[in-house]
Amino acid sequence: MEQRKDWQQLSQRARLHGDCYIDGRFRPAESGERFPSINPATEQCLVEVASGDRADIDRAVQSALAAYQAGSWSEAAPAQRKQVMLRLADLVEQHGNELALLDSLDMGKSIHEMVNVDLAEAIDCLRWTAECVDKVYGEIAPTGKETLGLISHEPVGVVGAITPWNFPLLMAVWKLAPALIAGNSLVLKPSEKSSLSILRLAELATEAGLPDGVFNVVTGYGHTAGKALAMHHDVSVLAFTGSTRVGGMLMEYAGQSNMKRAWIEAGGKSPMVVFDDCQDIKSAAETAAAAIFSNQGEVCIACSRLYLQNGIKARFLDALVEATATYQVGDPLDPDTRMGPLVDKAQLDTVSRYIQSAIDEGGRVLCGGLPEYVEGKGFYARPTIIVDAHNEMTFVREEIFGPVLAVSGFEQEEEAIRLANDTPYGLAASIWTDNLSRAHRVSRKIKSGMVWVNGWGEGDCTMPFGGVKASGNGRDKSLHSLDKYTDIKSVWISL
Ligand code: NAD
C-alpha cells in the first residue's frame, strides 16, 4: 500500500477533467458556465467543473438515443457486451489508484476506505454484472396448444441516472453496470460535489470499446441538469440515489413528463439492536462504531440509532468508546486515517446543528461533540456518541448523514422492535443476538430492505441492496438490478 507521500505526489500529477463527456468526448457546457470543485480537506479548488444545463442534457440524451437506435450496442450479442464490460473492469483495476485518488480529493473519503471498499466493490460489481448477462434466459408461457407465448427482457432505451456524492464511483457503477450490460444507453448526472471519478470512468469506457454516445456524463447542479434529465421525454427509466426529499421530487418529475419509471434509492436512519444474550460484545461494539463512523457517517445504511438492552448497556458503551478511539480523524491521503473531512461546510454546519439540538433536547455527549472548525483547514467533524437519547428527539428522527450516534436503552424484545421500526425510513438494520430463534423472529419483524444479523454492511453482488418506506423502492446489485433496466415483452404466436 502506498504511503501518504506517494498519494500526495500522485495528487500533484492527477488528471482532473471537469467537462461533460458526451458522444465519446469531453465538452464544456454550452453556456460556458463552470463551478469550482472544492477539496474538503484543504478547501482549495481542484478544478472548475462544467455547469451543464438543459441544453447539455438534451444533447447527451439525443446522443444516447441515436446510439441506442444505431444498435451497435443495444443489439450486440450479450456475450459481446460482456467482453466490453469486462475490459472496463480491467481498466478500472489498472487505473485504481487514480480513481481512488479522485474520489478522495473530491469528497474527503479516506484513501484506505476508497481502495479497500469503494474501488474493490466497483470492480466486483462490473465483473459480476457483466458475467450475468449471457446466462439470463427468457420464458415460454404455459399457453394452450394453439399459441406460443414468449416472454423476453428488452432494453428500455435511454436510462437517466442521478447519483450522490458519498460513494461517487461506486453508486454510479451500481447503476451503470446493469443499465449498460442490458443494452441501454445512459446519461449520468453525478453530484455537483463529486464529478471527477465518473468523468474518468466514462473515458475508460470508451477505451474499453463502448460505442460513442452509449455512456454520457453531464456534470452540473441538481435543480438544473438533474431536473432537465428527470423531465426529459426521451428518457425511459430514471435511476436515482440520493436524499428522500429529492427522490420524491423525481417521482413527481416522472409523472409530470412521460411516466418514466423512477427507481429511487434514498435516505436512511437505520437501527442497530443489541440484545443482552450477545456474547461477543467486542465485535458488536467494533461493528457499531464502523456502522456510524466509516466514511465519516456519510453512509446511507449507517446505523445512526443504537438500542442496547439495559443488561449489557454499561459494558457495551465501554467497548464502544474504545472502538471509537480507533477512528483517527485526519488527512484522507494518509493511509492511517479512518475519518476524513465532511464533504463541505454545509454538511459540517448540518452536523453541528444536530449535535446542538441533541444537547438542547437532553442528550449527553459521551465522546466527540461539536466540531471545532478552523477556516481553511478542512471540514472536520469528530466521531460523536450521544447517550440518553429517545425516539422523539430531532437528531434521532432525522437523517444527519454525519458521524453522530444516538444511544438508547430498552428492556424487552417487543419494545426493541417497536423502537427500531419507529421511523419513516426502512433501509437497513443490524441485530445482535446469540439466540437463533430471536434472530429470525426479529429480522422478520423489522420493516427494512436489508437486515444484518451479528454483522453490518457485509454484502457482495449476489444480494440486492435497497430499502422500503421513505428509503425508496429500487434494488441495486444482484440479478434483480437487471429488472430495473429492462422491459418485459410478451409475444403471442398463433400456431
Ligand atoms: P441529494 O438528494 O441532495 O442529491 C443527489 C443527486 O440528486 C445529486 O446528483 C443532486 O445534484 C441531484 N439533485 C438535487 N436536486 C435535484 C432536482 N431538483 N432534480 C434532479 N436532481 C436533483 O443527495 P446527496 O446529498 O448527494 O446524497 C446523500 C443522500 O443520499 C443521503 O440521504 C443518503 O442516505 C442517500 N443515499 C442513499 C443510498 C441508497 O442506496 N439508498 C446510497 C447512498 C446515498
Side-chain angles (χ1 to χ4, degrees), residues 356-369:
Q356 190 58 58
S357 87
I359 295 167
D360 294 345
E361 292 179 38
R364 185 166 57 83
V365 176
L366 187 66
C367 63

Side-chain angles (χ1 to χ4, degrees), residues 307 361 389-397 418-419 422:
Y307 299 101
E361 292 179 38
H390 60 77
N391 274 15
E392 304 316 313
M393 293 161 89
T394 314
F395 93 113
V396 184
R397 299 217 69 78
R418 183 178 55 72
L419 291 170
D422 176 23

